[in-house]
Amino acid sequence: MSKEYVGKLRQRYKMQKFDKVLSIAEIYADLIVNKQEELRNLLCTTETYATAEDEIYRSINYLYTFFHKQKAYVSSEKSQVVCCYLPLNQPLYSFVLNVLTASFTCRKVYYRPPQKLWRLHQSIYELLVQDQSAIQIVMVSRNKFFKEYVDSADIVIYTGRYENVQELCGYINKRALLIYNGSALNPVIVTKNADLDVCCEEIVNARLYNTGQDCMAPAAILIHDDIAGRFMRNLRDRLEAVRLGENSWNPAIIGSMISKDSFSENIRYILSNVGSIVYGGHWDENNFLISPTIFLNKRYSGENQQIFYAPFFCIYQYACLQEIHMYLSTKEAECYKGYVSIFGTDSDVESLNLCEQGLIVLQNKTLFGYEDGNVEFGGYGEGCSFVMHDGKKEIHPILLLREISEWRNKK
């Protein structure tokens, strides 16, 4: 993070010292700026250098800008107790978006990081948390965290798998507000009018972010028959330049996978789908490395859709709109209905008419170019995001402070 960039942010979003929330946000932003090297070293124990840099950038950018974009949802009332379940990926950014943000408007925040990353999160906590009476890390079993903290909380924030939050819904105190963010298919549609250099660069960056272990990456890429050959050549050329290695090695785009179980699951997928592999398909079991792998299918034929946490490119060709709608109308697509990236012209976007299907359309960019912490995030599928209170679910994209503010106003 350059000093010049940080200086411009400070100048644009000048902090007002008399406002406590702004002051706290500035303290944390400055702290992350000053502790960049220590944070990068910590994050590289579980993710690539490039991902660590991006997490730090997103965290600083969010803290310097959030109040000016979300001040309508910040309240002086601080009476709630919040419990957060954090995801396996993006440890710093998820801490900032969930734990820190909740602490700005709530009295006490308890958060449980995933057990695989307890040591990392403990180090981040010790490095960053300024008021340990307001924010407390809790490293206990899921069952104990629920019984001793979640069961009596006013607000519960859960980021993770849909299957896990479904179980939580059956036990959580009905008076509590549950805020959930999960995953989406986020497919990419490449029309015959797409700028192939732009879309291939965006797709590679999205699919290889954090070694492919991010819920914002597209589960599938649908390319028009007319440009399929040129698209594949462009994609292959870019993947040939991708380096694999230690997370802390700056040139490495792909590093070791976070979870050994996930690594094994992905190898099984490679072995069971070897017939559709047109590039890659290699792995290093000793270092938990998987090479970028392209699975090419001439047509989508209704098979199960999978959200990958690996450097996989699942590609289908299409010739007409009906084939796109087939992919988007399955049971899985309905549950994980979030974003769709369309690479092409305005008329291409209009002809696909996907907004009416409840999808959030992004033109000529992926979700990584859209998300900044200050826009609602999720989708209109239950597996993507919802809020629940008194046993009633409202399925829509989430903006944390807005959900808390609206819940308070209804009480």
Side-chain angles (χ1 to χ4, degrees):
M1 186 69 56
S2 70
K3 291 182 179 178
E4 181 182 1
Y5 173 80
V6 173
K8 286 181 179 179
L9 268 181
R10 284 175 174 158
Q11 185 176 6
R12 183 177 178 184
Y13 298 101
K14 184 174 176 59
M15 298 295 177
Q16 304 297 322
K17 290 298 185 181
F18 58 84
D19 191 297
K20 187 176 181 181
V21 173
L22 282 173
S23 180
I24 294 171
E26 182 181 42
I27 288 170
Y28 276 107
D30 288 345
L31 188 58
I32 293 173
V33 170
N34 294 330
K35 299 291 185 179
Q36 282 183 76
E37 185 174 355
E38 294 98 315
L39 285 168
R40 190 184 304 111
N41 291 337
L42 287 171
L43 294 172
C44 282
T45 62
T46 189
E47 64 190 29
T48 62
Y49 187 98
T51 305
E53 285 283 275
D54 185 75
E55 269 207 81
I56 292 168
Y57 162 80
R58 288 178 185 271
S59 298
I60 293 170
N61 186 73
Y62 171 73
L63 286 170
Y64 277 136
T65 62
F66 98 93
F67 188 85
H68 300 272
K69 296 182 179 182
Q70 298 190 56
K71 58 185 176 182
Y73 307 123
V74 177
S75 171
S76 58
E77 179 186 350
K78 297 187 70 170
S79 59
Q80 283 77 18
V81 174
V82 182
C83 285
C84 294
Y85 292 86
L86 295 190
L88 191 61
N89 62 329
Q90 299 215 46
L92 174 63
Y93 194 45
S94 64
F95 168 80
V96 169
L97 285 186
N98 293 295
V99 178
L100 277 188
T101 300
S103 75
F104 294 153
T105 189
C106 298
R107 178 172 57 84
K108 183 80 174 184
V109 182
Y110 299 99
Y111 73 100
R112 182 187 185 274
Q115 190 169 350
K116 288 183 177 70
L117 302 182
W118 277 359
R119 183 178 298 180
L120 169 61
H121 276 277
Q122 180 67 43
S123 298
I124 292 174
Y125 180 79
E126 293 172 354
L127 194 65
L128 295 183
V129 174
Q130 299 295 290
D131 184 358
Q132 296 188 4
S133 66
I135 299 173
Q136 184 175 329
I137 189 170
V138 181
M139 293 185 289
V140 297
S141 69
R142 279 178 174 269
N143 189 48
K144 189 173 183 179
F145 184 60
F146 179 84
K147 287 182 177 179
E148 297 186 6
Y149 298 92
V150 175
D151 192 42
S152 59
D154 300 290
I155 301 168
V156 180
I157 302 167
Y158 192 99
T159 306
R161 293 183 180 273
Y162 177 54
E163 300 80 17
N164 294 335
V165 80
Q166 282 180 299
E167 183 179 356
L168 181 63
C169 286
Y171 296 100
I172 195 169
N173 192 323
K174 286 191 174 182
R175 67 173 177 78
L177 173 69
L178 173 62
I179 302 172
Y180 170 66
N181 260 128
S183 302
L185 293 179
N186 303 326
V188 170
I189 298 171
V190 183
T191 72
K192 61 183 178 181
N193 298 311
D195 183 321
L196 292 183
D197 283 333
V198 170
C199 79
C200 285
E201 180 178 4
E202 290 288 317
I203 289 168
V204 168
N205 290 341
R207 271 288 359 144
L208 298 187
Y209 184 90
N210 195 19
T211 311
Q213 302 168 106
D214 197 281
C215 64
M216 293 201 299
I221 301 142
L222 289 74
I223 56 177
H224 195 280
D225 282 341
D226 288 358
I227 50 89
R230 289 184 291 130
F231 174 90
M232 292 300 296
R233 287 191 292 273
N234 195 315
L235 180 61
R236 285 170 182 262
D237 288 345
R238 291 175 186 276
L239 294 183
E240 286 291 338
V242 170
R243 310 292 291 275
L244 286 71
E246 293 285 339
N247 284 332
S248 58
W249 184 43
N250 195 344
I253 301 301
I254 293 177
S256 300
M257 300 206 71
I258 300 171
S259 166
K260 295 179 182 179
D261 292 340
S262 180
F263 174 82
S264 299
E265 180 184 338
N266 289 319
I267 299 309
R268 287 194 294 272
Y269 187 86
I270 289 174
L271 293 173
S272 61
N273 292 274
V274 68
S276 63
I277 294 176
V278 296
Y279 183 90
H282 312 296
W283 65 88
D284 176 350
E285 196 163 350
N286 293 325
N287 296 301
F288 302 104
L289 293 168
I290 298 178
S291 68
T293 302
I294 301 175
F295 302 90
L296 178 62
N297 300 275
K298 292 297 182 182
R299 290 291 181 268
Y300 177 71
S301 56
E303 61 268 26
N304 288 335
Q305 294 154 318
Q306 187 168 338
I307 297 173
F308 296 105
Y309 295 96
F312 292 167
F313 296 76
C314 186
I315 297 177
Y316 298 97
Q317 290 182 216
Y318 75 91
C320 60
L321 297 184
Q322 286 81 357
E323 291 174 308
I324 292 175
H325 288 288
M326 179 186 291
Y327 180 87
L328 297 173
S329 60
T330 65
K331 182 180 178 181
E332 289 84 359
E334 187 65 27
C335 180
Y336 296 101
K337 183 188 295 182
Y339 301 83
V340 58
S341 297
I342 302 174
F343 286 86
T345 63
D346 292 344
S347 60
D348 292 326
V349 174
E350 291 173 9
S351 66
L352 287 169
N353 197 28
L354 297 180
C355 290
E356 290 189 3
Q357 296 187 31
L359 288 157
I360 304 167
V361 175
L362 307 176
Q363 186 173 354
N364 294 325
K365 62 183 173 183
T366 67
L367 193 46
F368 289 90
Y370 166 82
E371 193 279 332
D372 70 353
N374 288 302
V375 292
E376 59 181 18
F377 181 78
Y380 295 97
E382 189 172 320
C384 298
S385 53
F386 63 78
V387 295
M388 187 177 83
H389 182 238
D390 285 333
K392 298 177 183 178
K393 289 179 182 175
E394 296 179 13
I395 302 169
H396 57 71
I398 299 299
L399 189 59
L400 184 62
L401 292 183
R402 181 189 68 192
E403 312 311 328
I404 294 174
S405 175
E406 291 181 354
W407 172 68
R408 280 175 173 159
N409 292 336
K410 291 177 184 178
K411 291 175 66 177

